[in-house]
C-alpha cells in the first residue's frame, strides 16, 4: 500500500503494480509512504507484503481517494499460468496440486484453473472460516477479500448470491485499466499537484515484470468456449462489477 498526500494506492497482485509503485515512488520521492504487512488473500503471506487491502487502510487516511488497477481476469489467469506464478505458492499448496496433477508443474491452462479452484481457493476460504464452494471463482474470492469493507459479510452474500453488486460493499475505488495503464495513470495524476512531473516520468519509464522475450500474448486463444462459459459464471461478481464500471475493453 502506498500513501501520498493525494490518494491511497492499493496493489492488487499481478495487475501492473510493480510498474505503478516504481513510477509513484519516483514522482513523489520522500513524501510517499509505503506500508507493508500480511496479504489477506494469501493464508501463507509473508509479513512484509505490499499487497494490503481496503480493510487495512489506516484510519488517518479515511478522507483520501483510493486508486487501484483492474486487469481483465481471463487475461490475469492466463498470465498466472503462462509465467508459472503458482511455483511461488506455499509448499503445502504445491504438494496438494501435485496430488491432483502428477504432471505438476507442467500444467495445462485447464489444470491450472483446477488448481486455483480446488487448492488455492479452498485454502483461502478455509483460512477465513468458509467451506469450499464452486459457486464463485478464485479471483472473485480474492477480489472480495481485497476490496470489500467487510470481506466476510460480502463473501457470505456472494456465495449465496453470485449476482451480487460489489459496488454496495466497497468504498469508491478509482480503477486504472491494466490494458491502458500508462494513459490511465497519466490521466489520474493529471488532477493532482504532481501532474506536470507525472506526465514526463510515466512516458519515459521502462516496462517492468514483462516476459524475457517481451511477448505479450492475447488471452482469448487460450480459452475454449467451454472454459470461458464456466468461468464467466464462476467469476460473475467481478465480471458484473467490471461491466458496471466499464473496465473491460
Amino acid at each position: 500500500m502506498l500513501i501520498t498526500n493525494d490518494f491511497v494506492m492499493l496493489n492488487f497482485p499481478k495487475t501492473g503494480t510493480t510498474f505503478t509503485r516504481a513510477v509513484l515512488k519516483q514522482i513523489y520521492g520522500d513524501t510517499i509512504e509505503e506500508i507493508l504487512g500480511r496479504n489477506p488473500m494469501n493464508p501463507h503471506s509473508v509479513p512484509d507484503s505490499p499487497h494490503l487491502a481496503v480493510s487495512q487502510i489506516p484510519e488517518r487516511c479515511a478522507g483520501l481517494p483510493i486508486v487501484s488497477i483492474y486487469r481483465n481476469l481471463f487475461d490475469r489467469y492466463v498470465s498466472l499460468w503462462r509465467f508459472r506464478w503458482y511455483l511461488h505458492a506455499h509448499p503445502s499448496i504445491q504438494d496438494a496440486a501435485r496430488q491432483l496433477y502428477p504432471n505438476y508443474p507442467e500444467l495445462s491452462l485447464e489444470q491450472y484453473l483446477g488448481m486455483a479452484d480446488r487448492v488455492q481457493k479452498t485454502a483461502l476460504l478455509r483460512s477465513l472460516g468458509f467451506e469450499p464452494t464452486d459457486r464463485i471463482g478464485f479471483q472473485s474470492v480474492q477480489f472480495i477479500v481485497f476490496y470489500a469493507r467487510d470481506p466476510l459479510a460480502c463473501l457470505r452474500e456472494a456465495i449465496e448470491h453470485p449476482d451480487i453488486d460489489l459496488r454496495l460493499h466497497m468504498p469508491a475505488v478509482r480503477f486504472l485499466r491494466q490494458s491502458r495503464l500508462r494513459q490511465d495513470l497519466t490521466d489520474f495524476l493529471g488532477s493532482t499537484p504532481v501532474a506536470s512531473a507525472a506526465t514526463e516520468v510515466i512516458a519515459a519509464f521502462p516496462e517492468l515484470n514483462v516476459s524475457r522475450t517481451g511477448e505479450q500474448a492475447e488471452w482469448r486463444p487460450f480459452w475454449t468456449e467451454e472454459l470461458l462459459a464456466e468461468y464467466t459464471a464462476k467469476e460473475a461478481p467481478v465480471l458484473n462489477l467490471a461491466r458496471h464500471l466499464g473496465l473491460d475493453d
Side-chain angles (χ1 to χ4, degrees), residues 102-230:
N103 57 306
Y104 183 89
E106 303 294 333
L107 300 180
S108 66
L109 175 61
E110 186 170 5
Q111 288 176 321
Y112 167 66
L113 294 171
M115 174 187 170
D117 256 351
R118 297 170 64 187
V119 180
Q120 293 175 293
K121 184 180 71 177
T122 293
L124 176 53
L125 285 171
R126 284 183 168 153
S127 75
L128 298 170
F130 291 84
E131 289 301 310
T133 178
D134 285 329
R135 291 182 62 83
I136 61 173
F138 181 43
Q139 290 203 52
S140 288
V141 175
Q142 288 186 309
F143 196 94
I144 288 168
V145 170
F146 199 78
Y147 290 111
R149 294 189 191 91
D150 184 341
L152 299 185
C154 183
L155 192 52
R156 277 191 292 271
E157 183 173 339
I159 291 170
E160 290 298 318
H161 304 285
D163 60 347
I164 184 174
D165 187 345
L166 292 181
R167 293 174 297 176
L168 303 178
H169 297 266
M170 296 168 51
V173 178
R174 169 72 179 269
F175 283 104
L176 313 179
R177 294 163 296 179
Q178 186 266 351
S179 60
R180 304 180 184 181
L181 185 53
R182 285 182 191 267
Q183 187 58 56
D184 280 6
L185 183 58
T186 301
D187 293 344
F188 171 72
L189 293 176
S191 62
T192 69
V194 300
S196 179
T199 300
E200 296 180 10
V201 170
I202 294 169
F205 214 87
E207 297 287 347
L208 299 177
N209 270 12
V210 296
S211 68
R212 292 184 182 89
T213 62
E215 180 183 359
Q216 296 296 311
E218 163 65 34
W219 61 265
R220 289 175 182 83
F222 294 98
W223 289 81
T224 64
E225 291 185 9
E226 293 78 12
L227 275 181
L228 195 59
E230 178 184 351

Side-chain angles (χ1 to χ4, degrees), residues 43-54:
H44 307 288
S45 173
V46 295
D48 57 351
S49 169
H51 305 299
L52 303 190
V54 161

Side-chain angles (χ1 to χ4, degrees), residues 10-66:
L10 297 181
N11 308 306
F12 194 82
K14 306 301 175 276
T15 59
T17 60
T18 300
F19 169 83
T20 305
R21 292 201 313 272
V23 166
L24 293 176
K25 287 177 182 180
Q26 180 166 329
I27 292 169
Y28 281 91
D30 294 340
T31 67
I32 199 168
E33 177 185 2
E34 183 167 28
I35 299 180
L36 305 176
R38 291 197 177 276
N39 172 0
M41 298 181 296
N42 181 358
H44 307 288
S45 173
V46 295
D48 57 351
S49 169
H51 305 299
L52 303 190
V54 161
S55 60
Q56 296 167 293
I57 297 175
E59 288 187 13
R60 60 186 168 85
C61 302
L64 289 174
I66 301 170

